[in-house]
Amino acid sequence: SQQGEEDPQALSIQEGENATMNCSYKTSINNLQWYRQNSGRGLVHLILIRSNEREKHSGRLRVTLDTSKKSSSLLITASRAADTASYFCATDGPDSNYQLIWGAGTKLIIKP
Amino acid sequence: KAGVTQTPRYLIKTRGQQVTLSCSPISGHRSVSWYQQTPGQGLQFLFEYFSETQRNKGNFPGRFSGRQFSNSRSEMNVSTLELGDSALYLCASSANRGGNSPLHFGNGTRLTVT
């Protein structure tokens, strides 16, 4: 079953702008991960945030986690054309038997 | 370190045939998971193998099967292919089970069933 739901489903912005994507989930989690997928390729791991963490950074990426709202956001600052991709969140929890539960993804398009 | 390698990259089969896809994980990774990705259904979990044992299985019919060898390489097999099996099949490896280890994905096998 799909626990994570990304919002929005699609996002189109100008190069240089910031892009924010959200992920909501239904049950308690141990970890939440964000992945990027370029068209027709495999997914690439971006950031892993644990349930006791509130924010993590990696380069131009910032991930926040609000366990009280069961949501996470991924912020990409100063977007580039190469950021055009689909972004997925995945969670695991105490009841998931080590299995990751995936959202449907946000398709991000960066216009030059 | 070499990444996850999936072969073949593309495959065209006809209905009723069977197919075997191969995945070589990153060296030292013992967990291998398989996913089916289609435009309509998104990323669907097929199964996970760890130390040659299937640990988790998604909601797919018995036509979908897999195995893992002692060197952690994995294969998945789909028998009696249907048109709806056309998809990108992704393999991912990780050092440990669960969500505290990032998954490393291969570039997938694009299966087309005609």
Side-chain angles (χ1 to χ4, degrees), chain A residues 3 6 13 18 22-23 35-36 42 44 49 51 55 60 62 72 74-75 79-80 86 88 90 97 102-104:
Chain A
Q3 160 157 258
E6 284 91 344
I13 60 173
N18 295 342
N22 302 297
C23 168
Y35 289 81
R36 181 189 77 233
V44 174
I49 187 165
S51 60
E55 189 170 311
R60 294 182 296 111
R62 182 174 78 115
S72 172
L74 170 65
L75 167 68
S79 63
R80 305 167 181 168
S86 291
F88 296 86
N97 190 29
W102 294 82

PDB file of all heavy atoms in Angstrom, chain A residues 3 6 13 18 22-23 35-36 42 44 49 51 55 60 62 72 74-75 79-80 86 88 90 97 102-104:
ATOM      1  N   GLN A   3       1.800   4.562   1.469  1.00  0.00           N
ATOM      2  CA  GLN A   3       1.563   5.369   2.643  1.00  0.00           C
ATOM      3  C   GLN A   3       1.875   6.823   2.344  1.00  0.00           C
ATOM      4  O   GLN A   3       1.126   7.707   2.733  1.00  0.00           O
ATOM      5  CB  GLN A   3       2.419   4.899   3.817  1.00  0.00           C
ATOM      6  CG  GLN A   3       2.574   5.957   4.888  1.00  0.00           C
ATOM      7  CD  GLN A   3       2.911   5.428   6.239  1.00  0.00           C
ATOM      8  OE1 GLN A   3       2.064   5.339   7.100  1.00  0.00           O
ATOM      9  NE2 GLN A   3       4.172   5.083   6.437  1.00  0.00           N
ATOM     10  N   GLU A   6       2.891  12.409  -2.104  1.00  0.00           N
ATOM     11  CA  GLU A   6       3.597  13.635  -2.410  1.00  0.00           C
ATOM     12  C   GLU A   6       2.625  14.692  -2.921  1.00  0.00           C
ATOM     13  O   GLU A   6       1.629  14.397  -3.582  1.00  0.00           O
ATOM     14  CB  GLU A   6       4.700  13.400  -3.461  1.00  0.00           C
ATOM     15  CG  GLU A   6       5.947  12.716  -2.922  1.00  0.00           C
ATOM     16  CD  GLU A   6       5.873  11.226  -3.047  1.00  0.00           C
ATOM     17  OE1 GLU A   6       4.762  10.710  -3.257  1.00  0.00           O
ATOM     18  OE2 GLU A   6       6.913  10.570  -2.940  1.00  0.00           O
ATOM     19  N   ILE A  13       8.620  25.260 -12.503  1.00  0.00           N
ATOM     20  CA  ILE A  13       9.128  26.547 -12.039  1.00  0.00           C
ATOM     21  C   ILE A  13      10.247  27.015 -12.962  1.00  0.00           C
ATOM     22  O   ILE A  13      10.786  26.242 -13.761  1.00  0.00           O
ATOM     23  CB  ILE A  13       9.657  26.463 -10.590  1.00  0.00           C
ATOM     24  CG1 ILE A  13      10.805  25.447 -10.494  1.00  0.00           C
ATOM     25  CG2 ILE A  13       8.541  26.113  -9.625  1.00  0.00           C
ATOM     26  CD1 ILE A  13      11.487  25.426  -9.138  1.00  0.00           C
ATOM     27  N   ASN A  18      13.171  28.504  -6.138  1.00  0.00           N
ATOM     28  CA  ASN A  18      13.172  27.398  -5.177  1.00  0.00           C
ATOM     29  C   ASN A  18      11.975  26.500  -5.423  1.00  0.00           C
ATOM     30  O   ASN A  18      10.899  26.964  -5.830  1.00  0.00           O
ATOM     31  CB  ASN A  18      13.106  27.922  -3.744  1.00  0.00           C
ATOM     32  CG  ASN A  18      14.339  28.715  -3.361  1.00  0.00           C
ATOM     33  OD1 ASN A  18      15.384  28.607  -4.007  1.00  0.00           O
ATOM     34  ND2 ASN A  18      14.212  29.502  -2.312  1.00  0.00           N
ATOM     35  N   ASN A  22       6.129  18.233  -0.869  1.00  0.00           N
ATOM     36  CA  ASN A  22       5.692  17.733   0.421  1.00  0.00           C
ATOM     37  C   ASN A  22       5.342  16.250   0.357  1.00  0.00           C
ATOM     38  O   ASN A  22       4.944  15.740  -0.696  1.00  0.00           O
ATOM     39  CB  ASN A  22       4.466  18.510   0.900  1.00  0.00           C
ATOM     40  CG  ASN A  22       4.736  19.993   0.995  1.00  0.00           C
ATOM     41  OD1 ASN A  22       5.576  20.427   1.769  1.00  0.00           O
ATOM     42  ND2 ASN A  22       4.041  20.770   0.175  1.00  0.00           N
ATOM     43  N   CYS A  23       5.515  15.606   1.486  1.00  0.00           N
ATOM     44  CA  CYS A  23       5.199  14.178   1.599  1.00  0.00           C
ATOM     45  C   CYS A  23       4.417  13.990   2.893  1.00  0.00           C
ATOM     46  O   CYS A  23       4.875  14.414   3.960  1.00  0.00           O
ATOM     47  CB  CYS A  23       6.492  13.367   1.630  1.00  0.00           C
ATOM     48  SG  CYS A  23       6.298  11.633   2.091  1.00  0.00           S
ATOM     49  N   TYR A  35      14.095  10.381  -2.684  1.00  0.00           N
ATOM     50  CA  TYR A  35      14.813   9.897  -3.855  1.00  0.00           C
ATOM     51  C   TYR A  35      14.455  10.752  -5.066  1.00  0.00           C
ATOM     52  O   TYR A  35      13.348  11.311  -5.146  1.00  0.00           O
ATOM     53  CB  TYR A  35      14.438   8.442  -4.161  1.00  0.00           C
ATOM     54  CG  TYR A  35      14.976   7.442  -3.176  1.00  0.00           C
ATOM     55  CD1 TYR A  35      14.330   7.219  -1.964  1.00  0.00           C
ATOM     56  CD2 TYR A  35      16.129   6.710  -3.450  1.00  0.00           C
ATOM     57  CE1 TYR A  35      14.823   6.307  -1.051  1.00  0.00           C
ATOM     58  CE2 TYR A  35      16.629   5.782  -2.540  1.00  0.00           C
ATOM     59  CZ  TYR A  35      15.967   5.596  -1.351  1.00  0.00           C
ATOM     60  OH  TYR A  35      16.463   4.676  -0.455  1.00  0.00           O
ATOM     61  N   ARG A  36      15.377  10.797  -6.015  1.00  0.00           N
ATOM     62  CA  ARG A  36      15.155  11.474  -7.281  1.00  0.00           C
ATOM     63  C   ARG A  36      15.254  10.442  -8.410  1.00  0.00           C
ATOM     64  O   ARG A  36      16.083   9.533  -8.355  1.00  0.00           O
ATOM     65  CB  ARG A  36      16.221  12.560  -7.506  1.00  0.00           C
ATOM     66  CG  ARG A  36      16.065  13.338  -8.805  1.00  0.00           C
ATOM     67  CD  ARG A  36      17.267  14.243  -9.067  1.00  0.00           C
ATOM     68  NE  ARG A  36      18.406  13.478  -9.556  1.00  0.00           N
ATOM     69  CZ  ARG A  36      19.618  13.525  -9.009  1.00  0.00           C
ATOM     70  NH1 ARG A  36      19.847  14.308  -7.964  1.00  0.00           N
ATOM     71  NH2 ARG A  36      20.598  12.811  -9.520  1.00  0.00           N
ATOM     72  N   GLY A  42      17.061   4.675 -12.916  1.00  0.00           N
ATOM     73  CA  GLY A  42      16.830   4.244 -11.550  1.00  0.00           C
ATOM     74  C   GLY A  42      16.742   5.426 -10.602  1.00  0.00           C
ATOM     75  O   GLY A  42      17.059   6.554 -10.955  1.00  0.00           O
ATOM     76  N   VAL A  44      17.714   7.684  -7.331  1.00  0.00           N
ATOM     77  CA  VAL A  44      18.951   8.058  -6.645  1.00  0.00           C
ATOM     78  C   VAL A  44      18.594   8.570  -5.263  1.00  0.00           C
ATOM     79  O   VAL A  44      17.724   9.446  -5.131  1.00  0.00           O
ATOM     80  CB  VAL A  44      19.716   9.139  -7.438  1.00  0.00           C
ATOM     81  CG1 VAL A  44      20.920   9.626  -6.640  1.00  0.00           C
ATOM     82  CG2 VAL A  44      20.153   8.591  -8.792  1.00  0.00           C
ATOM     83  N   ILE A  49      16.163  10.943   6.743  1.00  0.00           N
ATOM     84  CA  ILE A  49      15.952  11.660   7.986  1.00  0.00           C
ATOM     85  C   ILE A  49      15.253  10.714   8.958  1.00  0.00           C
ATOM     86  O   ILE A  49      14.299  10.017   8.594  1.00  0.00           O
ATOM     87  CB  ILE A  49      15.151  12.971   7.754  1.00  0.00           C
ATOM     88  CG1 ILE A  49      15.094  13.795   9.037  1.00  0.00           C
ATOM     89  CG2 ILE A  49      13.770  12.710   7.177  1.00  0.00           C
ATOM     90  CD1 ILE A  49      14.653  15.244   8.808  1.00  0.00           C
ATOM     91  N   SER A  51      13.252   9.655  12.559  1.00  0.00           N
ATOM     92  CA  SER A  51      12.050  10.208  13.191  1.00  0.00           C
ATOM     93  C   SER A  51      12.374  11.179  14.316  1.00  0.00           C
ATOM     94  O   SER A  51      11.555  12.032  14.662  1.00  0.00           O
ATOM     95  CB  SER A  51      11.159   9.079  13.725  1.00  0.00           C
ATOM     96  OG  SER A  51      11.860   8.322  14.681  1.00  0.00           O
ATOM     97  N   GLU A  55      15.396  18.358  10.815  1.00  0.00           N
ATOM     98  CA  GLU A  55      15.866  18.995   9.596  1.00  0.00           C
ATOM     99  C   GLU A  55      17.215  18.417   9.206  1.00  0.00           C
ATOM    100  O   GLU A  55      18.042  18.098  10.066  1.00  0.00           O
ATOM    101  CB  GLU A  55      16.000  20.509   9.839  1.00  0.00           C
ATOM    102  CG  GLU A  55      16.279  21.334   8.620  1.00  0.00           C
ATOM    103  CD  GLU A  55      16.156  22.827   8.893  1.00  0.00           C
ATOM    104  OE1 GLU A  55      15.134  23.237   9.482  1.00  0.00           O
ATOM    105  OE2 GLU A  55      17.083  23.564   8.533  1.00  0.00           O
ATOM    106  N   ARG A  60      22.215  21.860  -1.936  1.00  0.00           N
ATOM    107  CA  ARG A  60      21.059  22.747  -2.152  1.00  0.00           C
ATOM    108  C   ARG A  60      19.749  22.136  -1.655  1.00  0.00           C
ATOM    109  O   ARG A  60      18.678  22.705  -1.865  1.00  0.00           O
ATOM    110  CB  ARG A  60      20.941  23.063  -3.643  1.00  0.00           C
ATOM    111  CG  ARG A  60      22.094  23.873  -4.211  1.00  0.00           C
ATOM    112  CD  ARG A  60      21.890  24.209  -5.690  1.00  0.00           C
ATOM    113  NE  ARG A  60      21.869  23.009  -6.517  1.00  0.00           N
ATOM    114  CZ  ARG A  60      20.774  22.563  -7.137  1.00  0.00           C
ATOM    115  NH1 ARG A  60      19.623  23.190  -7.050  1.00  0.00           N
ATOM    116  NH2 ARG A  60      20.841  21.465  -7.886  1.00  0.00           N
ATOM    117  N   ARG A  62      17.188  20.761   1.325  1.00  0.00           N
ATOM    118  CA  ARG A  62      16.847  20.831   2.751  1.00  0.00           C
ATOM    119  C   ARG A  62      15.588  20.010   2.968  1.00  0.00           C
ATOM    120  O   ARG A  62      14.583  20.200   2.280  1.00  0.00           O
ATOM    121  CB  ARG A  62      16.615  22.262   3.209  1.00  0.00           C
ATOM    122  CG  ARG A  62      16.298  22.368   4.704  1.00  0.00           C
ATOM    123  CD  ARG A  62      16.225  23.809   5.143  1.00  0.00           C
ATOM    124  NE  ARG A  62      14.956  24.425   4.745  1.00  0.00           N
ATOM    125  CZ  ARG A  62      14.031  24.864   5.579  1.00  0.00           C
ATOM    126  NH1 ARG A  62      14.195  24.742   6.864  1.00  0.00           N
ATOM    127  NH2 ARG A  62      12.931  25.431   5.126  1.00  0.00           N
ATOM    128  N   SER A  72       6.623  15.662   5.669  1.00  0.00           N
ATOM    129  CA  SER A  72       7.999  16.058   5.401  1.00  0.00           C
ATOM    130  C   SER A  72       7.987  16.949   4.174  1.00  0.00           C
ATOM    131  O   SER A  72       7.112  16.825   3.307  1.00  0.00           O
ATOM    132  CB  SER A  72       8.864  14.827   5.141  1.00  0.00           C
ATOM    133  OG  SER A  72      10.167  15.189   4.705  1.00  0.00           O
ATOM    134  N   LEU A  74      10.641  18.669   1.085  1.00  0.00           N
ATOM    135  CA  LEU A  74      11.944  18.724   0.409  1.00  0.00           C
ATOM    136  C   LEU A  74      12.017  20.067  -0.306  1.00  0.00           C
ATOM    137  O   LEU A  74      11.181  20.365  -1.158  1.00  0.00           O
ATOM    138  CB  LEU A  74      12.084  17.590  -0.599  1.00  0.00           C
ATOM    139  CG  LEU A  74      13.284  17.655  -1.558  1.00  0.00           C
ATOM    140  CD1 LEU A  74      14.597  17.531  -0.797  1.00  0.00           C
ATOM    141  CD2 LEU A  74      13.181  16.563  -2.628  1.00  0.00           C
ATOM    142  N   LEU A  75      13.018  20.842   0.056  1.00  0.00           N
ATOM    143  CA  LEU A  75      13.241  22.140  -0.576  1.00  0.00           C
ATOM    144  C   LEU A  75      14.503  22.064  -1.413  1.00  0.00           C
ATOM    145  O   LEU A  75      15.552  21.647  -0.918  1.00  0.00           O
ATOM    146  CB  LEU A  75      13.378  23.232   0.488  1.00  0.00           C
ATOM    147  CG  LEU A  75      13.910  24.600   0.009  1.00  0.00           C
ATOM    148  CD1 LEU A  75      12.896  25.276  -0.900  1.00  0.00           C
ATOM    149  CD2 LEU A  75      14.259  25.491   1.192  1.00  0.00           C
ATOM    150  N   SER A  79      17.118  26.351  -8.186  1.00  0.00           N
ATOM    151  CA  SER A  79      16.941  25.183  -9.060  1.00  0.00           C
ATOM    152  C   SER A  79      17.690  25.340 -10.385  1.00  0.00           C
ATOM    153  O   SER A  79      17.931  26.449 -10.889  1.00  0.00           O
ATOM    154  CB  SER A  79      15.456  24.958  -9.333  1.00  0.00           C
ATOM    155  OG  SER A  79      14.917  26.060 -10.029  1.00  0.00           O
ATOM    156  N   ARG A  80      18.061  24.189 -10.917  1.00  0.00           N
ATOM    157  CA  ARG A  80      18.772  24.112 -12.189  1.00  0.00           C
ATOM    158  C   ARG A  80      18.020  23.185 -13.125  1.00  0.00           C
ATOM    159  O   ARG A  80      17.247  22.347 -12.674  1.00  0.00           O
ATOM    160  CB  ARG A  80      20.185  23.564 -11.970  1.00  0.00           C
ATOM    161  CG  ARG A  80      21.011  24.311 -10.963  1.00  0.00           C
ATOM    162  CD  ARG A  80      22.259  23.526 -10.593  1.00  0.00           C
ATOM    163  NE  ARG A  80      23.063  24.232  -9.591  1.00  0.00           N
ATOM    164  CZ  ARG A  80      24.065  23.671  -8.928  1.00  0.00           C
ATOM    165  NH1 ARG A  80      24.407  22.415  -9.171  1.00  0.00           N
ATOM    166  NH2 ARG A  80      24.738  24.368  -8.025  1.00  0.00           N
ATOM    167  N   SER A  86      11.560  13.289 -11.250  1.00  0.00           N
ATOM    168  CA  SER A  86      10.491  12.953 -10.303  1.00  0.00           C
ATOM    169  C   SER A  86      11.122  12.699  -8.947  1.00  0.00           C
ATOM    170  O   SER A  86      12.216  12.125  -8.860  1.00  0.00           O
ATOM    171  CB  SER A  86       9.731  11.713 -10.769  1.00  0.00           C
ATOM    172  OG  SER A  86       8.982  11.983 -11.936  1.00  0.00           O
ATOM    173  N   PHE A  88      10.522  11.196  -5.021  1.00  0.00           N
ATOM    174  CA  PHE A  88       9.715  10.262  -4.240  1.00  0.00           C
ATOM    175  C   PHE A  88      10.136  10.284  -2.784  1.00  0.00           C
ATOM    176  O   PHE A  88      11.321  10.399  -2.473  1.00  0.00           O
ATOM    177  CB  PHE A  88       9.890   8.828  -4.759  1.00  0.00           C
ATOM    178  CG  PHE A  88       9.411   8.600  -6.159  1.00  0.00           C
ATOM    179  CD1 PHE A  88      10.242   8.854  -7.243  1.00  0.00           C
ATOM    180  CD2 PHE A  88       8.131   8.132  -6.402  1.00  0.00           C
ATOM    181  CE1 PHE A  88       9.810   8.642  -8.550  1.00  0.00           C
ATOM    182  CE2 PHE A  88       7.686   7.922  -7.695  1.00  0.00           C
ATOM    183  CZ  PHE A  88       8.526   8.184  -8.764  1.00  0.00           C
ATOM    184  N   ALA A  90       9.839   7.899   0.789  1.00  0.00           N
ATOM    185  CA  ALA A  90       9.628   6.512   1.214  1.00  0.00           C
ATOM    186  C   ALA A  90       9.807   6.449   2.717  1.00  0.00           C
ATOM    187  O   ALA A  90      10.713   7.074   3.266  1.00  0.00           O
ATOM    188  CB  ALA A  90      10.615   5.573   0.519  1.00  0.00           C
ATOM    189  N   ASN A  97       7.641  -4.077   8.888  1.00  0.00           N
ATOM    190  CA  ASN A  97       8.462  -5.272   8.658  1.00  0.00           C
ATOM    191  C   ASN A  97       9.608  -4.987   7.686  1.00  0.00           C
ATOM    192  O   ASN A  97       9.835  -5.721   6.737  1.00  0.00           O
ATOM    193  CB  ASN A  97       7.590  -6.416   8.135  1.00  0.00           C
ATOM    194  CG  ASN A  97       8.326  -7.745   8.106  1.00  0.00           C
ATOM    195  OD1 ASN A  97       9.242  -7.972   8.911  1.00  0.00           O
ATOM    196  ND2 ASN A  97       7.956  -8.618   7.188  1.00  0.00           N
ATOM    197  N   TRP A 102       6.193   3.634  -0.410  1.00  0.00           N
ATOM    198  CA  TRP A 102       6.530   4.705  -1.339  1.00  0.00           C
ATOM    199  C   TRP A 102       5.327   5.577  -1.673  1.00  0.00           C
ATOM    200  O   TRP A 102       4.199   5.100  -1.762  1.00  0.00           O
ATOM    201  CB  TRP A 102       7.067   4.113  -2.648  1.00  0.00           C
ATOM    202  CG  TRP A 102       8.360   3.409  -2.467  1.00  0.00           C
ATOM    203  CD1 TRP A 102       8.540   2.136  -2.027  1.00  0.00           C
ATOM    204  CD2 TRP A 102       9.664   3.954  -2.695  1.00  0.00           C
ATOM    205  NE1 TRP A 102       9.885   1.852  -1.972  1.00  0.00           N
ATOM    206  CE2 TRP A 102      10.590   2.942  -2.376  1.00  0.00           C
ATOM    207  CE3 TRP A 102      10.130   5.195  -3.141  1.00  0.00           C
ATOM    208  CZ2 TRP A 102      11.968   3.133  -2.485  1.00  0.00           C
ATOM    209  CZ3 TRP A 102      11.498   5.374  -3.260  1.00  0.00           C
ATOM    210  CH2 TRP A 102      12.403   4.360  -2.933  1.00  0.00           C
ATOM    211  N   GLY A 103       5.606   6.849  -1.890  1.00  0.00           N
ATOM    212  CA  GLY A 103       4.600   7.744  -2.416  1.00  0.00           C
ATOM    213  C   GLY A 103       4.588   7.685  -3.928  1.00  0.00           C
ATOM    214  O   GLY A 103       5.432   7.047  -4.548  1.00  0.00           O
ATOM    215  N   ALA A 104       3.634   8.378  -4.517  1.00  0.00           N
ATOM    216  CA  ALA A 104       3.452   8.361  -5.971  1.00  0.00           C
ATOM    217  C   ALA A 104       4.388   9.321  -6.693  1.00  0.00           C
ATOM    218  O   ALA A 104       4.514   9.260  -7.917  1.00  0.00           O
ATOM    219  CB  ALA A 104       2.005   8.679  -6.315  1.00  0.00           C
TER     220      ALA A 104
END
